[in-house]
Amino acid sequence: MTSSPELTFNDGNTIPQLGYGVWQVEDDVAEKVVGQAFEAGFRHIDTAKIYGNEAGVGRAIASSGLKPEEIFITTKLWNSDQGYESTLKAFEESMERLGLETLDLYLIHWMQPKQQKYVDTWKALIELQKQGRVKSIGVSNFSKEGLQELIDATGVVPAIHQIELHPFFNQADLREFGAANGILTQAWSPLGQGGELLESAVIKEIAAKHDATPAQVVIAWHLAIGNVVIPKSVTESRIRENYAALDVTLDETDIKAINGLDRTAEGAGRIGPDPAVSDFA
Ligand code: NAD
């Protein structure tokens, strides 16, 4: 079985480039499907406090027989827990649910600009990393200005930035900022949540050319342009299919054609909220 490439963070740790996400997966289902993801070959799991399935992910880890050093686990700090002390507390609660001693990656889930707590929250993540409780720290759903503010205030550059990113919304700007500052880019909703994107003629044509599926082509595009990518499925055959995207190699013409699907210039493409302005608890 092909194993995922590893990308290196600015702190020297590594992350498997292909992972498995569990948003909108109920706790007991998470236990089952994370087990299936491990069997398919995934070693990197992306969860969050707000998903309500850290305990299920923890049970899947415990029953997998895999050693902590063989897997990579990410969880995220929820918006209402932002602030220095509340972050330290929320982290311990997440670790208890996951049943882990050390976490691979902890992310601030959303910038929440109106709260103005993200710098203090980032300082708490830095402290957790210093204490060795978490190996790497990063953020999700920030603006360029927000990232710069964290760096200016603390001198600590996030290891990774997890953002909405798929061929209809390819985030060229934030990817460029990340590359220039040593921040890896991680794509959420990498399949565009599975709707129109996988039906697109361009994707289907490339899939036929490589004897692959549309989902595999989109995942292969993420891998080719250097994203960390965390597709979700609760269907075992698709979990396996998505992992097998590691065996699909796109050529320059394919990548150019997929880059051409971006709708940012038309002010379209985004599915979720805009982190620069969104504010929700
Ligand atoms: P996704 O783009 O991974 O799409 C998932 C959907 O695509 C599935 O529900 C299914 O309908 C379809 N699908 C999956 N595999 C398929 C296949 N092989 N063939 C056909 N259809 C297929 O969407 P997502 O779940 O929104 O994003 C992935 C992960 O990203 C999440 O599970 C979560 O871990 C993370 N995420 C993070 C944030 C954040 O704010 N940081 C937000 C959303 C998602």
Side-chain angles (χ1 to χ4, degrees), residues 3 27 47 49-50 76 84 91 105 108 111 119 126 130 143 148 163 171 174 187 190 210 213 220 243 276 279:
S3 60
D27 193 62
T47 183
K49 174 186 174 180
I50 196 70
K76 313 184 192 86
Y84 190 87
F91 174 80
L105 178 64
I108 302 177
M111 178 172 153
V119 172
I126 293 169
K130 269 198 198 130
S143 64
Q148 192 62 56
I163 46 178
Q171 298 266 28
L174 277 173
H210 290 278
T213 68
Y243 192 75
D279 190 59

Side-chain angles (χ1 to χ4, degrees), residues 1-4 18 35-44 239-240 243 246:
M1 190 194 302
T2 313
S3 60
S4 169
L18 178 60
Q36 291 172 348
F38 286 143
E39 274 172 34
F42 285 97
R43 291 293 178 267
H44 161 190
I239 294 172
R240 291 183 178 278
Y243 192 75
L246 288 170

